[in-house]
Amino acid sequence: MPLSDEMVKKSLDGLAQQCANRGLHLTNLRRRLMGLLLKAGKPVKAYDLIEQSAVLGRRLTPATVYRVLDFLMENGLVHKVNAINAFVACTEQDGALDHQPLILVCPTCQKTTEINDPDLSIMVFEKLNDLGYALKRGSIEIHGHCGLCEEKTLTESS
């Protein structure tokens, strides 16, 4: 869900403080791209961020955008949604660097929902370990139709 300009500013101020508490700096460029992701409220492709940055005044190079996205991902502020090759602002904004969310992805409308349920995550990651898999830093994507797309699919097939 997109955020208002006031909510984006408030979120960015909180994120800047979290970064400062970790000894990191949320530079103007990082803040600008994070703001675009927060304002979108949905996954955004890197090249769309480049286009949006041009509208804001200065067109960024792909290398610059990816470097900023890498910083934001490494510090738990953004997740990459591999299924659609896009980036989404993390909804777990309490400063938790080590959370590994489950991300629901609708393949039709590309809506994503981040699930931050520690008990569920622990259960999933323990099961992965039991099966001999070790997920490094990242998230797990679960693909399924959101309620609106599923309803539309059912209506069209009737």
Side-chain angles (χ1 to χ4, degrees), residues 9 23 44 101 131 135:
K9 184 184 179 326
V44 180
L131 295 171
L135 182 66

Side-chain angles (χ1 to χ4, degrees), residues 10-155:
K10 185 177 178 179
S11 291
L12 288 171
D13 290 344
L15 292 173
Q17 185 59 52
Q18 285 178 28
C19 285
N21 292 345
R22 296 180 192 158
L24 303 170
H25 184 58
L26 193 63
T27 64
N28 287 337
L29 185 55
R30 293 169 181 165
R31 188 177 174 98
R32 188 162 123 198
L33 287 183
M34 190 69 200
L36 290 173
L37 289 168
L38 287 166
K39 185 139 181 95
K42 63 180 185 178
V44 180
K45 294 181 182 289
Y47 280 87
D48 291 332
L49 290 171
I50 292 168
E51 292 302 316
Q52 291 175 29
S53 71
V55 171
L56 293 176
R58 183 177 136 223
R59 183 182 195 87
L60 302 174
T61 66
T64 299
V65 168
Y66 281 109
R67 189 171 51 252
V68 170
L69 288 169
D70 284 344
F71 170 88
L72 296 172
M73 284 187 301
E74 287 169 10
N75 291 287
L77 304 175
V78 167
H79 300 296
K80 183 170 185 185
V81 183
N82 290 303
I84 55 177
N85 196 27
F87 302 86
V88 64
C90 176
T91 61
E92 179 73 17
Q93 296 300 334
D94 68 354
L97 270 176
D98 59 350
H99 82 287
Q100 294 179 306
L102 304 174
I103 299 178
L104 306 178
V105 182
C106 178
T108 303
C109 70
Q110 298 186 345
K111 174 184 175 183
T112 61
T113 302
E114 181 176 338
I115 299 174
N116 287 301
D117 179 333
D119 294 333
L120 181 59
S121 292
I122 288 169
M123 185 174 68
V124 169
F125 290 103
E126 283 178 354
K127 186 62 176 176
L128 286 172
N129 285 333
D130 291 347
L131 295 171
Y133 290 86
L135 182 66
K136 301 301 180 200
R137 184 142 170 69
S139 59
I140 293 179
E141 296 175 21
I142 301 171
H143 303 258
H145 289 106
C146 68
L148 291 175
C149 290
E150 183 64 18
E151 185 177 312
K152 187 176 178 181
T153 301
L154 293 173
T155 304

